[in-house]
Protein backbone atom coordinates (compact mmCIF):
# COMPACT_ATOMS: atom_id res chain seq x y z
CA UNK A 1 0.00 0.00 0.00
CA UNK A 2 1.44 3.36 -1.04
CA UNK A 3 2.21 6.22 1.29
CA UNK A 4 -0.43 8.47 -0.28
CA UNK A 5 -3.12 5.81 0.09
CA UNK A 6 -2.27 5.23 3.75
CA UNK A 7 -2.39 8.93 4.49
CA UNK A 8 -5.74 9.36 2.75
CA UNK A 9 -7.17 6.44 4.73
CA UNK A 10 -6.40 8.25 7.99
CA UNK A 11 -8.38 11.33 6.97
CA UNK A 12 -11.84 9.99 7.96
CA UNK A 13 -10.59 8.87 11.39
CA UNK A 14 -8.99 12.24 12.08
CA UNK A 15 -12.08 14.11 10.91
CA UNK A 16 -14.25 11.91 13.14
CA UNK A 17 -12.05 12.69 16.15
CA UNK A 18 -12.12 16.43 15.36
CA UNK A 19 -15.90 16.35 14.97
CA UNK A 20 -16.39 14.75 18.40
CA UNK A 21 -13.94 17.16 20.04
CA UNK A 22 -15.49 20.34 18.61
CA UNK A 23 -19.04 19.08 19.19
CA UNK A 24 -18.36 18.57 22.89
CA UNK A 25 -16.14 21.65 23.31
CA UNK A 26 -18.66 24.17 21.95
CA UNK A 27 -21.35 22.78 24.24
CA UNK A 28 -19.08 23.10 27.26
CA UNK A 29 -18.79 26.85 26.71
CA UNK A 30 -20.68 28.53 29.57
CA UNK A 31 -23.97 30.19 28.68
CA UNK A 32 -27.30 29.42 27.11
CA UNK A 33 -27.46 29.06 23.33
CA UNK A 34 -30.88 30.72 23.07
CA UNK A 35 -29.78 33.65 25.23
CA UNK A 36 -26.63 34.05 23.14
CA UNK A 37 -28.71 34.12 19.95
CA UNK A 38 -31.40 36.52 21.16
CA UNK A 39 -29.44 38.65 23.61
CA UNK A 40 -31.52 40.67 26.05
CA UNK A 41 -34.70 39.73 24.17
CA UNK A 42 -34.32 36.21 25.56
CA UNK A 43 -35.57 37.53 28.91
CA UNK A 44 -38.95 38.28 27.32
CA UNK A 45 -39.53 34.64 26.38
CA UNK A 46 -41.99 32.54 28.29
CA UNK A 47 -40.91 29.03 29.33
CA UNK A 48 -43.13 27.62 26.57
CA UNK A 49 -41.54 29.86 23.94
CA UNK A 50 -38.04 28.96 25.10
CA UNK A 51 -38.90 25.27 24.95
CA UNK A 52 -40.36 25.69 21.47
CA UNK A 53 -37.14 27.35 20.29
CA UNK A 54 -35.07 24.56 21.84
CA UNK A 55 -37.15 21.99 19.96
CA UNK A 56 -36.88 24.00 16.72
CA UNK A 57 -33.08 24.16 16.92
CA UNK A 58 -32.82 20.58 18.14
CA UNK A 59 -30.97 21.46 21.34
CA UNK A 60 -33.62 19.90 23.56
CA UNK A 61 -32.31 16.45 22.72
CA UNK A 62 -29.38 14.63 24.32
CA UNK A 63 -25.87 15.32 23.05
CA UNK A 64 -25.65 11.85 21.56
CA UNK A 65 -28.81 12.34 19.52
CA UNK A 66 -27.73 15.82 18.43
CA UNK A 67 -24.32 14.52 17.36
CA UNK A 68 -25.79 11.61 15.43
CA UNK A 69 -28.21 13.83 13.52
CA UNK A 70 -25.44 16.29 12.69
CA UNK A 71 -22.96 13.58 11.67
CA UNK A 72 -25.58 11.90 9.48
CA UNK A 73 -26.10 15.22 7.69
CA UNK A 74 -22.33 15.75 7.28
CA UNK A 75 -21.99 12.33 5.66
CA UNK A 76 -24.61 13.50 3.15
CA UNK A 77 -22.67 16.70 2.47
CA UNK A 78 -24.85 18.89 4.69
CA UNK A 79 -23.03 20.83 7.40
CA UNK A 80 -26.28 22.22 8.74
CA UNK A 81 -27.96 25.62 8.81
CA UNK A 82 -26.49 28.59 10.64
CA UNK A 83 -29.00 30.02 13.10
CA UNK A 84 -27.17 33.37 12.95
CA UNK A 85 -27.24 33.81 9.18
CA UNK A 86 -30.15 31.52 8.28
CA UNK A 87 -28.09 29.99 5.47
CA UNK A 88 -26.31 26.67 4.86
CA UNK A 89 -23.03 26.55 6.76
CA UNK A 90 -21.05 25.43 3.71
CA UNK A 91 -22.25 28.42 1.68
CA UNK A 92 -21.14 30.81 4.43
CA UNK A 93 -17.72 29.16 4.61
CA UNK A 94 -17.27 29.48 0.85
CA UNK A 95 -18.12 33.18 1.09
CA UNK A 96 -15.50 33.85 3.77
CA UNK A 97 -12.73 31.46 2.73
CA UNK A 98 -11.41 33.37 -0.35
CA UNK A 99 -10.34 36.27 1.88
CA UNK A 100 -8.56 33.97 4.33
CA UNK A 101 -6.90 32.04 1.50
CA UNK A 102 -5.64 35.24 -0.14
CA UNK A 103 -4.40 36.58 3.18
CA UNK A 104 -2.52 33.34 3.82
CA UNK A 105 -0.95 33.33 0.35
CA UNK A 106 0.11 36.98 0.56
CA UNK A 107 1.54 36.50 4.05
CA UNK A 108 3.42 33.41 2.91
CA UNK A 109 4.82 35.20 -0.15
CA UNK A 110 5.97 38.18 1.93
CA UNK A 111 7.57 35.92 4.53
CA UNK A 112 9.49 33.84 1.99
CA UNK A 113 10.58 36.84 -0.09
CA UNK A 114 12.03 38.45 3.03
CA UNK A 115 13.06 35.42 5.08
CA UNK A 116 14.94 33.38 2.47
CA UNK A 117 17.38 36.12 1.33
CA UNK A 118 17.80 37.37 4.90
CA UNK A 119 18.62 33.89 6.19
CA UNK A 120 21.12 33.25 3.40
CA UNK A 121 22.67 36.67 3.94
CA UNK A 122 23.10 36.02 7.67
CA UNK A 123 24.54 32.53 7.13
CA UNK A 124 27.15 33.72 4.64
CA UNK A 125 28.26 36.41 7.10
CA UNK A 126 28.28 34.24 10.18
CA UNK A 127 29.24 36.02 13.43
CA UNK A 128 29.77 39.32 11.65
CA UNK A 129 28.00 42.54 12.58
CA UNK A 130 25.53 42.18 9.68
CA UNK A 131 24.68 38.66 10.84
CA UNK A 132 24.04 39.94 14.36
CA UNK A 133 21.80 42.71 13.01
CA UNK A 134 19.69 40.22 11.04
CA UNK A 135 19.40 37.93 14.07
CA UNK A 136 18.30 40.80 16.32
CA UNK A 137 15.63 41.92 13.86
CA UNK A 138 14.45 38.31 13.48
CA UNK A 139 14.23 37.90 17.25
CA UNK A 140 12.21 41.11 17.54
CA UNK A 141 9.90 39.89 14.77
CA UNK A 142 9.30 36.55 16.48
CA UNK A 143 8.70 38.08 19.90
CA UNK A 144 6.28 40.80 18.73
CA UNK A 145 2.65 39.59 18.74
CA UNK A 146 0.73 40.11 15.51
CA UNK A 147 -1.96 42.19 17.16
CA UNK A 148 0.66 44.59 18.58
CA UNK A 149 2.22 45.10 15.16
CA UNK A 150 -1.21 45.59 13.60
CA UNK A 151 -2.21 48.20 16.16
CA UNK A 152 1.12 50.00 15.69
CA UNK A 153 0.59 50.13 11.92
CA UNK A 154 -2.92 51.53 12.33
CA UNK A 155 -1.72 54.08 14.88
CA UNK A 156 1.22 55.16 12.69
CA UNK A 157 -1.02 55.64 9.66
CA UNK A 158 -3.72 57.51 11.56
CA UNK A 159 -1.43 59.69 13.71
CA UNK A 160 1.31 60.26 11.15
CA UNK A 161 -0.62 60.48 7.88
CA UNK A 162 -4.20 61.00 8.96
CA UNK A 163 -5.46 57.92 7.12
CA UNK A 164 -6.74 54.52 8.13
CA UNK A 165 -6.36 51.17 6.35
CA UNK A 166 -9.29 50.07 4.24
CA UNK A 167 -11.52 48.00 6.51
CA UNK A 168 -14.88 46.29 6.34
CA UNK A 169 -16.31 44.61 3.27
CA UNK A 170 -13.98 42.39 1.25
CA UNK A 171 -13.26 43.45 -2.33
CA UNK A 172 -12.52 40.41 -4.55
CA UNK A 173 -9.26 40.57 -6.48
CA UNK A 174 -10.89 39.89 -9.85
CA UNK A 175 -13.40 42.66 -9.27
CA UNK A 176 -10.94 45.38 -8.25
CA UNK A 177 -7.27 44.25 -8.08
CA UNK A 178 -5.91 47.55 -6.75
CA UNK A 179 -8.69 47.94 -4.22
CA UNK A 180 -8.19 44.36 -3.10
CA UNK A 181 -4.43 44.73 -2.63
CA UNK A 182 -4.93 48.05 -0.86
CA UNK A 183 -7.17 46.27 1.62
CA UNK A 184 -5.04 43.13 2.07
CA UNK A 185 -1.42 44.34 2.00
CA UNK A 186 -1.25 45.69 5.57
CA UNK A 187 -2.85 42.62 7.19
CA UNK A 188 -0.53 40.43 5.07
CA UNK A 189 2.51 42.43 6.23
CA UNK A 190 1.32 42.13 9.82
CA UNK A 191 1.13 38.34 9.55
CA UNK A 192 4.12 37.94 7.25
CA UNK A 193 6.56 39.86 9.46
CA UNK A 194 6.62 37.32 12.28
CA UNK A 195 6.70 34.42 9.85
CA UNK A 196 9.56 36.05 7.92
CA UNK A 197 11.51 36.21 11.17
CA UNK A 198 10.98 32.47 11.71
CA UNK A 199 11.99 31.68 8.12
CA UNK A 200 15.14 33.80 8.50
CA UNK A 201 16.29 31.93 11.59
CA UNK A 202 15.50 28.51 10.13
CA UNK A 203 17.24 29.27 6.82
CA UNK A 204 20.30 30.66 8.60
CA UNK A 205 20.62 27.56 10.78
CA UNK A 206 20.10 25.14 7.89
CA UNK A 207 22.50 27.01 5.62
CA UNK A 208 25.24 26.97 8.27
CA UNK A 209 24.94 23.17 8.43
CA UNK A 210 24.92 22.76 4.67
CA UNK A 211 27.81 25.16 3.98
CA UNK A 212 30.12 22.96 6.05
CA UNK A 213 29.33 19.80 4.03
CA UNK A 214 31.89 18.14 1.82
CA UNK A 215 30.07 18.68 -1.47
CA UNK A 216 29.99 22.45 -0.87
CA UNK A 217 33.73 22.53 -0.24
CA UNK A 218 34.22 20.39 -3.35
CA UNK A 219 32.17 22.82 -5.45
CA UNK A 220 34.26 25.72 -4.19
CA UNK A 221 37.52 23.88 -4.90
CA UNK A 222 36.37 23.31 -8.48
CA UNK A 223 36.06 27.04 -8.97
CA UNK A 224 32.27 27.34 -8.86
CA UNK A 225 31.37 31.01 -8.22
CA UNK A 226 30.29 31.85 -4.68
CA UNK A 227 26.78 32.75 -5.81
CA UNK A 228 26.40 29.41 -7.58
CA UNK A 229 27.61 27.50 -4.53
CA UNK A 230 25.13 29.29 -2.27
CA UNK A 231 22.01 29.45 -4.43
CA UNK A 232 22.37 26.37 -6.62
CA UNK A 233 24.10 23.86 -4.35
CA UNK A 234 23.58 24.87 -0.72
CA UNK A 235 20.15 26.48 -0.58
CA UNK A 236 18.15 23.64 -2.24
CA UNK A 237 19.56 21.22 0.35
CA UNK A 238 18.63 23.57 3.19
CA UNK A 239 14.98 23.91 2.21
CA UNK A 240 13.53 20.87 4.02
CA UNK A 241 13.11 22.73 7.36
CA UNK A 242 11.69 25.72 5.48
CA UNK A 243 9.12 23.53 3.73
CA UNK A 244 8.10 22.03 7.08
CA UNK A 245 7.78 25.43 8.72
CA UNK A 246 5.89 26.88 5.75
CA UNK A 247 3.42 24.00 5.68
CA UNK A 248 2.59 24.25 9.38
CA UNK A 249 2.28 28.04 9.25
CA UNK A 250 0.17 27.98 6.10
CA UNK A 251 -2.17 25.45 7.69
CA UNK A 252 -2.65 27.76 10.66
CA UNK A 253 -3.23 30.75 8.39
CA UNK A 254 -5.93 28.84 6.50
CA UNK A 255 -7.67 28.46 9.84
CA UNK A 256 -7.98 32.22 9.94
CA UNK A 257 -5.77 34.76 11.67
CA UNK A 258 -8.42 35.71 14.20
CA UNK A 259 -6.71 38.68 15.85
CA UNK A 260 -5.49 40.23 12.61
CA UNK A 261 -8.88 39.80 10.95
CA UNK A 262 -10.49 41.35 14.01
CA UNK A 263 -8.10 44.33 14.11
CA UNK A 264 -8.49 45.11 10.40
CA UNK A 265 -12.23 44.24 10.40
CA UNK A 266 -11.76 41.60 7.70
CA UNK A 267 -14.69 39.21 7.18
CA UNK A 268 -12.51 36.11 7.07
CA UNK A 269 -12.85 32.56 8.34
CA UNK A 270 -11.17 33.19 11.69
CA UNK A 271 -13.46 36.08 12.54
CA UNK A 272 -16.42 33.99 11.43
CA UNK A 273 -15.51 31.24 13.89
CA UNK A 274 -15.05 33.75 16.70
CA UNK A 275 -18.45 35.32 16.08
CA UNK A 276 -20.06 31.89 15.81
CA UNK A 277 -18.65 30.86 19.19
CA UNK A 278 -19.94 34.04 20.80
CA UNK A 279 -23.38 33.44 19.29
CA UNK A 280 -23.34 29.72 20.22
CA UNK A 281 -24.01 28.94 16.57
CA UNK A 282 -23.24 25.24 16.98
CA UNK A 283 -23.62 24.19 13.36
CA UNK A 284 -21.43 27.03 12.09
CA UNK A 285 -18.65 26.40 14.61
CA UNK A 286 -18.65 22.68 13.91
CA UNK A 287 -18.68 23.15 10.14
CA UNK A 288 -15.88 25.74 10.19
CA UNK A 289 -13.62 23.64 12.41
CA UNK A 290 -14.14 20.57 10.22
CA UNK A 291 -13.32 22.62 7.14
CA UNK A 292 -10.19 24.03 8.77
CA UNK A 293 -9.07 20.58 9.93
CA UNK A 294 -9.52 19.17 6.43
CA UNK A 295 -7.46 22.01 4.94
CA UNK A 296 -4.73 21.45 7.52
CA UNK A 297 -4.50 17.77 6.66
CA UNK A 298 -4.32 18.53 2.94
CA UNK A 299 -1.54 21.06 3.49
CA UNK A 300 0.45 18.61 5.64
CA UNK A 301 0.08 15.94 2.97
CA UNK A 302 1.30 18.34 0.27
CA UNK A 303 4.27 19.28 2.47
CA UNK A 304 5.26 15.63 2.80
CA UNK A 305 5.04 15.20 -0.95
CA UNK A 306 7.06 18.39 -1.44
CA UNK A 307 9.95 16.83 0.47
CA UNK A 308 10.57 14.48 -2.45
CA UNK A 309 10.53 17.37 -4.93
CA UNK A 310 12.95 19.44 -2.83
CA UNK A 311 15.29 16.56 -1.95
CA UNK A 312 15.12 13.43 -4.18
CA UNK A 313 16.98 11.51 -1.48
CA UNK A 314 13.82 11.52 0.65
CA UNK A 315 11.68 8.42 0.22
CA UNK A 316 8.27 8.61 1.85
CA UNK A 317 6.94 5.55 3.60
CA UNK A 318 10.31 3.84 3.84
CA UNK A 319 12.18 2.89 6.97
Amino acid sequence: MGYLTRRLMTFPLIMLGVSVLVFVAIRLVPGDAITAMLGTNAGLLTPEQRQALAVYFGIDQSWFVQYWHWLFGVLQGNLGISVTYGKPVFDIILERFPLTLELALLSMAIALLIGLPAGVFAATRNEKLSDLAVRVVAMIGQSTPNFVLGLLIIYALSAGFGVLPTMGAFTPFLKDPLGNLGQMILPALTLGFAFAASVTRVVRSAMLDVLSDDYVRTARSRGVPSGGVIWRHALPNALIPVVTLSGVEFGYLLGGAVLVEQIYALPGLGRLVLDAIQQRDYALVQGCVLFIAFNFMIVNLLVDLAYVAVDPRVRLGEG
Side-chain angles (χ1 to χ4, degrees):
M1 186 182 297
Y3 173 81
L4 181 60
T5 303
R6 293 199 304 271
R7 284 292 299 271
L8 291 176
M9 288 179 63
T10 64
F11 276 26
L13 294 177
I14 296 175
M15 294 294 284
L16 181 63
V18 170
S19 71
V20 173
L21 182 62
V22 67
F23 182 90
V24 174
I26 185 59
R27 283 161 176 77
L28 291 177
V29 174
D32 180 10
I34 295 177
T35 301
M37 286 185 284
L38 298 181
T40 56
N41 292 329
L44 303 177
L45 296 176
T46 64
E48 293 77 14
Q49 291 173 327
R50 179 177 288 273
Q51 179 62 24
L53 284 174
V55 172
Y56 178 77
F57 292 121
I59 57 177
D60 63 314
Q61 301 169 331
S62 66
W63 284 10
F64 179 80
V65 174
Q66 291 182 50
Y67 177 76
W68 172 249
H69 287 165
W70 174 69
L71 182 62
F72 184 72
V74 171
L75 294 176
Q76 294 180 317
N78 178 20
L79 295 178
I81 303 295
S82 166
V83 297
T84 305
Y85 297 91
K87 297 164 57 178
V89 168
F90 191 66
D91 292 347
I92 301 172
I93 292 175
L94 292 183
E95 290 176 1
R96 299 294 189 95
F97 185 62
L99 184 151
T100 299
L101 177 61
E102 182 183 352
L103 181 59
L105 291 173
L106 285 175
S107 303
M108 183 70 61
I110 291 172
L112 294 178
L113 287 174
I114 296 175
L116 283 174
V120 172
F121 176 84
T124 55
R125 290 159 178 80
N126 186 31
E127 300 303 332
K128 295 182 179 179
L129 184 61
S130 54
D131 173 38
L132 178 61
V134 171
R135 289 159 60 187
V136 169
V137 173
M139 190 173 299
I140 293 174
Q142 278 193 303
S143 59
T144 304
N146 289 329
F147 70 90
V148 172
L149 182 60
L151 291 174
L152 288 176
I153 290 175
I154 293 174
Y155 175 77
L157 288 175
S158 60
F161 301 95
V163 297
L164 285 173
T166 304
M167 299 181 180
F170 175 58
T171 303
F173 180 81
L174 295 178
K175 183 178 179 181
D176 183 4
L178 292 179
N180 173 271
L181 291 177
Q183 183 181 27
M184 300 297 293
I185 190 63
L186 291 179
L189 283 172
T190 302
L191 285 173
F193 181 68
F195 183 39
S198 300
V199 172
T200 299
R201 300 188 67 181
V202 169
V203 170
R204 178 186 178 276
S205 177
M207 284 291 292
L208 287 176
D209 291 337
V210 171
L211 288 174
S212 62
D213 287 346
D214 292 339
Y215 71 90
V216 173
R217 290 195 294 266
T218 301
R220 283 174 172 164
S221 66
R222 292 172 55 190
V224 178
S226 179
V229 171
I230 294 171
W231 297 101
R232 194 173 63 202
H233 293 279
L235 182 59
N237 291 283
L239 285 181
I240 288 290
V242 180
V243 171
T244 303
L245 176 65
S246 299
V248 172
E249 183 70 19
F250 191 66
Y252 282 123
L253 289 176
L254 288 180
V258 179
L259 292 178
V260 172
E261 290 180 359
Q262 191 75 10
I263 290 172
Y264 288 97
L266 295 176
L269 199 58
R271 193 176 174 197
L272 177 66
V273 176
L274 179 62
D275 292 341
I277 293 173
Q278 293 174 340
Q279 297 294 326
R280 308 298 191 277
D281 194 335
Y282 295 151
L284 187 55
V285 174
Q286 293 160 188
C288 287
V289 173
L290 274 187
F291 184 78
I292 292 169
F294 181 76
N295 286 330
F296 204 97
M297 290 189 296
I298 291 294
V299 170
N300 282 337
L301 177 59
L302 293 177
V303 167
D304 288 347
L305 297 177
Y307 290 155
V308 178
V310 172
D311 189 348
R313 296 171 299 179
V314 176
R315 292 293 179 268
L316 297 176
E318 293 186 359

